[in-house]
Amino acid sequence: MKTRIIFIHGNPGSRDIYYQFNDLPYEKTYIDLPGIGYSKDKPPKSLDDLVKSANDQAQANLKNEEEIIFFGHDWGVPVSIALACKLKNVVRGFVFFNTAIGELDKLPVWLKAFQIKSLGPFFVSLAALFGTKNKKGLVFRPYLNLRVFNPGYYVSLVFSLDFTRLSTIISEAKNTGVFEKPCFIAWGYKDLCLNEYHLVDLERKFKNSKVILKACRHFVPLDLSNEDKQQVINFIEGKKITNHCFVVELLNENFRKLHSEPCVFDIGSPAIRMFTFGDLNVLAYKFQSYLRSKNLTGKLVLLAVRPWHIFISLFVACLREGAIPVMLDPKIEINNLIRALRGLPDFHVASSPFGCLLIGALSLNSNLHFCFGSRLLGMTAGHGTKIDDVLFVAFTSGGTGIPKPVVFTERMVLSQKEIFAERLKMSAFGIDLPITPAFFIFSLLAGRAVILDSSVRTVQDIDFLKLLKVCRTFKPSLIFGSKFFWKSFLEHSYLSDTNVDFISAGIISGAPLYRAFVKRLADISNIHLVGAYGSTEALPVTFYDLNQSLSPERGLYVGKTVDGVSIKLINKYQIWVTGPNVSERYLVEDLNSSLKLIEDGKVYHKMSDLGYLKDGFLYLLGRENDSAVSDNLFPYPIEDFILSNFKVDDCVCLFKNGLTVICVKGTETEDAIEFEVKKNFNISKVIVKKVESIPYDLRHNSKVLRSKIRI
């Protein structure tokens, strides 16, 4: 069927929105209805009058074998819904701009009294005195804050739109399945109060809705970027689109809707403490007042604070005030942190007095300004107005050297949230256990509570028996953790005979997973485990389901790239990635020049891993520094082969001075391993050595400390 777009706009001054879509290759009908407000030459129209007028114009243009997509703005939206009830069999979807559809039962009691028609002339007089005016007289704008006490405005609202009739239309739309149709909602949020009458209400009614929030002010047409317009086109054509809502507004919406719901369970003390979204909101407002008094908008603020509920409150406060929070991975060693801070732009440190004293004494940096006095300097950022503005900065854990300050943008965070929410089916009112700290952001954006432990710095500090008791009590449905965490967690649950079937999914991130390790997890648990390959700068690059058998390819299978992510292999094996969920820069320019590549207008990030693609799937071979690239020898395939075929508990492969050295922990004989490795990998010089243990950096997702192995 052919597609026809029917434009029904509200305020005439906002028809510029529709002009942005004049070049769409579809049949179009523009319905220009009489003004809905009060003025000398335009008497108020009832909703039925508007619907009848729009229906007559639509029927005159509609042809057989056509399906309709309604474009509605302002009060054109309730008219669109009323028309859709009549034309439901040919309606494919809706695209709505800056609007709301409230219901009569949500109006204040005193406002319902205005429905008494006999008092019409009196209230019209009030409207003339107190209503919102412009050159054309009084106008009605349903996306304004309905809780502003303005009698004239309320009168124009009730008499011009007739909420009693609107409630009937909404009920009819529910019964006829109109709200099951796909709906794309674009909303200008600047200075708006998102409450039940507005976006939340509209989004809840349309079950299959997608939303973008863009910054604009009252009475200013919604200015959509080329990317947003492409999103609308993708929606019309039935292609996949991504929710683009600014993070602050999404957080604010969740904090408002979930005011009395649990947000953080801090298990770091004998008495578990629970904090609601409302509790954190109160703390955030206090921090906001401080940030505002110190004029920290656009400044970097290093958050060296615990416990976790304080950290999250300050993080949210910074975002609301336009400051740029800087997150520290708890695994960062203090000496590495001090080295990383040198040479960065000026920033503030939010910490306890002792923490400020420690960092200041050790760093002796002139670029640190503590939040307990001192003059305030900082870098300027246009935060909060564009999707590519800086949202926050996060230091990597520094497992391979000095921690790197990664810049996170609005686009990056929202893309990551969308990817995880879709892959893990993250619904609101769930509970997550994010052992990886950054995951708390995705949980809050999805309206979920988190379990955090303020006493734990690394995975080695976790009391797993205590954690299992907590999990039995609160039953988290999603858990994010490293390879070492999952190994210990599942082994403790198996040995203590603790049922953890309440966990719907688990994410294993960090070090690559060998087939023997995956088989071991499968033997002791039925939890649906998902591997996520990526890094702080690029998360995730791929997903892979650990409940399925892994490929016996030479290389560790890490799955297929997520939607929107592209992989480029340079020098045959070097992995570079790009996508909306990949950071495009660091705060340090030297890192940008060495670890970023711009090609075809895209910014690629260097993963420091080597691998290859086969049939669209990615296989890892090893870290760049750990491989004998000139001889095409890589550690991961050899280690995977040994772990899968011999009686060894652990092994690591090193390349030194033309020799392949294999350190193993287990009962298998060295000669058997040496013979099979030579035969299967065509290597002439192999040495197999038994060791008591293999050193791991458990701070950094269980990676082997190859440089500390002495041969």
Side-chain angles (χ1 to χ4, degrees):
M1 295 179 70
K2 292 183 178 180
T3 298
R4 176 176 292 275
I5 297 176
I6 297 182
F7 297 91
I8 305 179
H9 72 79
N11 170 38
S14 296
R15 67 177 64 171
D16 292 347
I17 292 175
Y18 300 139
Y19 295 158
Q20 299 178 60
F21 298 97
N22 276 342
D23 55 351
L24 292 182
Y26 304 105
E27 296 292 330
K28 306 177 191 68
T29 297
Y30 296 86
I31 297 180
D32 191 0
L33 300 175
I36 197 169
Y38 296 87
S39 66
K40 294 179 180 178
D41 57 341
K42 290 183 180 179
K45 299 289 184 181
S46 71
L47 183 56
D48 282 335
D49 290 336
L50 297 174
V51 172
K52 183 179 184 306
S53 176
N55 186 53
D56 291 343
Q57 295 181 60
Q59 294 287 6
N61 290 274
L62 192 60
K63 299 176 183 178
N64 292 331
E65 302 300 320
E66 280 189 335
E67 54 185 4
I68 299 172
I69 292 181
F70 282 104
F71 273 54
H73 167 263
D74 209 305
W75 48 266
V77 169
V79 174
S80 299
I81 294 172
L83 280 185
C85 294
K86 300 177 182 293
L87 305 170
K88 58 181 181 296
N89 292 332
V90 293
V91 176
R92 184 151 68 86
F94 303 88
V95 178
F96 290 155
F97 304 96
N98 279 15
T99 192
I101 45 173
E103 296 185 53
L104 183 62
D105 58 3
K106 293 180 181 178
L107 294 176
V109 174
W110 64 268
L111 181 55
K112 294 178 184 179
F114 284 3
Q115 293 285 322
I116 303 174
K117 302 298 183 182
S118 61
L119 297 178
F122 169 71
F123 289 129
V124 169
S125 299
L126 281 180
L129 289 173
F130 302 109
T132 306
K133 294 184 177 182
N134 63 14
K135 293 179 180 178
K136 296 182 180 180
L138 292 169
V139 296
F140 164 60
R141 297 179 181 278
Y143 56 88
L144 283 177
N145 182 0
L146 301 187
R147 291 175 179 169
V148 174
F149 188 83
N150 183 333
Y153 171 71
Y154 276 124
V155 172
S156 100
L157 166 71
V158 175
F159 276 93
S160 59
L161 192 53
D162 189 349
F163 265 72
T164 305
R165 177 69 182 111
L166 179 58
S167 291
T168 305
I169 289 175
I170 291 173
S171 297
E172 186 179 352
K174 291 177 181 176
N175 295 333
T176 56
V178 168
F179 289 140
E180 302 298 323
K181 304 285 186 181
C183 180
F184 188 95
I185 306 167
W187 189 279
Y189 72 81
K190 189 71 173 181
D191 297 331
L192 291 178
C193 173
L194 299 180
N195 55 41
E196 287 79 11
Y197 296 100
H198 300 137
L199 173 63
V200 177
D201 182 71
L202 189 63
E203 187 180 5
R204 283 173 178 167
K205 283 187 170 63
F206 284 92
K207 304 300 188 298
N208 300 311
S209 62
K210 289 286 185 178
V211 180
I212 59 172
L213 298 176
K214 303 299 290 185
C216 72
R217 295 188 179 277
H218 288 331
F219 313 127
V220 177
L222 188 61
D223 183 22
L224 297 178
S225 66
N226 290 332
E227 178 183 350
D228 294 326
K229 284 187 275 189
Q230 186 59 51
Q231 291 269 64
V232 175
I233 294 171
N234 289 346
F235 172 80
I236 294 172
E237 295 176 349
K239 298 178 181 177
K240 182 177 178 180
I241 64 173
T242 304
N243 278 14
H244 276 178
C245 329
F246 277 111
V247 169
V248 175
E249 289 307 318
L250 195 52
L251 283 174
N252 287 345
E253 180 187 341
N254 286 337
F255 272 79
R256 180 186 57 75
K257 285 194 303 186
L258 307 173
H259 182 81
S260 60
E261 295 292 329
C263 182
V264 174
F265 297 95
D266 193 335
I267 62 174
S269 59
I272 296 173
R273 297 182 294 173
M274 188 273 286
F275 302 90
T276 66
F277 279 90
D279 295 332
L280 268 63
N281 217 17
V282 171
L283 289 172
Y285 281 130
K286 291 181 179 179
F287 286 129
Q288 280 180 255
S289 299
Y290 177 84
L291 295 170
R292 194 178 304 121
S293 69
K294 297 298 183 181
N295 192 28
L296 284 175
T297 299
K299 308 299 195 305
L300 293 167
V301 180
L302 178 65
L303 305 184
V305 293
R306 290 284 188 95
W308 278 111
H309 73 282
I310 299 291
F311 174 88
I312 293 174
S313 299
L314 185 49
F315 181 84
V316 172
C318 286
L319 296 186
R320 286 174 173 171
E321 285 302 309
I324 302 173
V326 180
M327 296 173 57
L328 297 175
D329 192 306
K331 299 185 288 291
I332 297 178
E333 295 178 350
I334 189 66
N335 59 323
N336 282 341
L337 172 63
I338 300 308
R339 292 166 63 197
L341 296 181
R342 291 173 183 158
L344 290 182
D346 293 331
F347 57 90
H348 277 272
V349 178
S351 178
S352 65
F354 175 76
C356 286
L357 180 65
L358 176 65
I359 295 174
L362 291 177
S363 66
L364 300 178
N365 278 5
S366 61
N367 61 335
L368 295 181
H369 306 281
F370 302 116
C371 289
F372 293 92
S374 179
R375 61 195 180 92
L376 305 177
L377 300 174
M379 60 175 284
T380 302
H383 172 65
T385 58
K386 296 179 181 177
I387 200 76
D388 288 314
D389 283 342
V390 179
L391 186 66
F392 63 88
V393 176
F395 278 90
T396 62
S397 62
T400 56
I402 299 177
K404 300 182 287 291
V406 182
V407 170
F408 282 72
T409 63
E410 304 262 4
R411 183 192 308 278
M412 182 179 174
V413 173
L414 291 168
S415 297
Q416 290 176 336
K417 177 256 180 186
E418 187 78 9
I419 290 168
F420 280 106
E422 182 177 324
R423 184 67 174 80
L424 301 177
K425 297 178 173 56
M426 295 173 69
S427 58
F429 303 109
I431 299 178
D432 300 337
L433 177 60
I435 301 300
T436 303
F439 280 105
F440 83 83
I441 300 170
F442 307 138
S443 300
L444 293 186
L445 289 175
R448 300 171 63 85
V450 291
I451 298 173
L452 298 168
D453 191 336
S454 293
S455 67
V456 168
R457 180 169 170 265
T458 72
V459 180
Q460 291 169 288
D461 301 331
I462 296 176
D463 181 341
F464 282 95
L465 291 178
K466 172 187 173 183
L467 184 61
L468 283 168
K469 291 180 181 178
V470 170
C471 288
R472 281 204 308 268
T473 302
F474 297 108
K475 294 181 170 51
S477 53
L478 297 174
I479 298 183
F480 306 82
S482 66
K483 171 181 174 179
F484 176 78
F485 167 81
W486 278 105
K487 176 177 177 292
S488 300
F489 181 80
L490 293 179
E491 284 180 347
H492 277 82
S493 68
Y494 179 78
L495 294 174
S496 62
D497 197 24
T498 302
N499 188 346
V500 290
D501 289 346
F502 49 81
I503 302 172
S504 61
I507 286 282
I508 303 184
S509 60
L513 305 179
Y514 299 100
R515 285 177 292 164
F517 176 81
V518 174
K519 184 178 183 302
R520 184 175 181 179
L521 293 186
D523 290 341
I524 59 176
S525 171
N526 294 319
I527 295 175
H528 180 211
L529 294 175
V530 176
Y533 168 64
S535 64
T536 304
E537 300 90 335
L539 185 70
V541 174
T542 64
F543 277 130
Y544 51 110
D545 194 329
L546 300 184
N547 294 69
Q548 300 174 355
S549 59
L550 300 186
S551 169
E553 283 280 330
R554 289 198 170 175
L556 297 187
Y557 171 77
V558 290
K560 197 171 186 177
T561 54
V562 299
D563 288 344
V565 174
S566 299
I567 293 178
K568 178 184 288 292
L569 296 178
I570 296 179
N571 297 328
K572 193 175 180 180
Y573 297 116
Q574 199 175 71
I575 300 173
W576 294 69
V577 298
T578 186
N581 58 315
V582 178
S583 177
E584 295 191 349
R585 63 188 178 98
Y586 297 97
L587 277 184
V588 180
E589 193 56 41
D590 290 346
L591 291 172
N592 290 324
S593 59
S594 61
L595 297 175
K596 302 292 180 182
L597 170 70
I598 300 178
E599 192 169 297
D600 301 327
K602 298 178 180 178
V603 179
Y604 285 83
H605 167 70
K606 183 181 180 182
M607 294 298 293
S608 298
D609 287 317
L610 302 177
Y612 65 94
L613 290 166
K614 183 177 180 181
D615 299 328
F617 295 97
L618 180 64
Y619 296 83
L620 298 185
L621 296 170
R623 301 284 288 178
E624 187 175 20
N625 295 334
D626 300 330
S627 305
V629 180
S630 59
D631 299 324
N632 278 337
L633 294 177
F634 308 100
Y636 292 168
I638 296 175
E639 291 164 357
D640 185 53
F641 172 78
I642 294 172
L643 289 168
S644 299
N645 294 281
F646 296 97
K647 295 178 181 179
V648 297
D649 298 321
D650 208 349
C651 78
V652 61
C653 180
L654 307 169
F655 304 102
K656 299 286 186 181
N657 302 321
L659 291 175
T660 299
V661 181
I662 301 170
C663 300
V664 297
K665 177 186 175 184
T667 58
E668 191 70 60
T669 63
E670 294 97 319
D671 291 342
I673 296 174
E674 179 183 339
F675 176 79
E676 292 297 331
V677 168
K678 285 182 177 179
K679 183 177 73 172
N680 280 272
F681 292 91
N682 194 25
I683 306 173
S684 58
K685 298 180 180 180
V686 176
I687 296 176
V688 179
K689 177 183 177 182
K690 283 192 176 183
V691 295
E692 293 296 323
S693 63
I694 292 175
Y696 280 89
D697 181 3
L698 295 179
R699 297 178 310 105
H700 192 68
N701 293 334
S702 314
K703 291 183 178 177
V704 178
L705 295 172
R706 297 173 190 267
S707 61
K708 292 191 176 182
I709 298 177
R710 297 289 178 260
I711 301 175

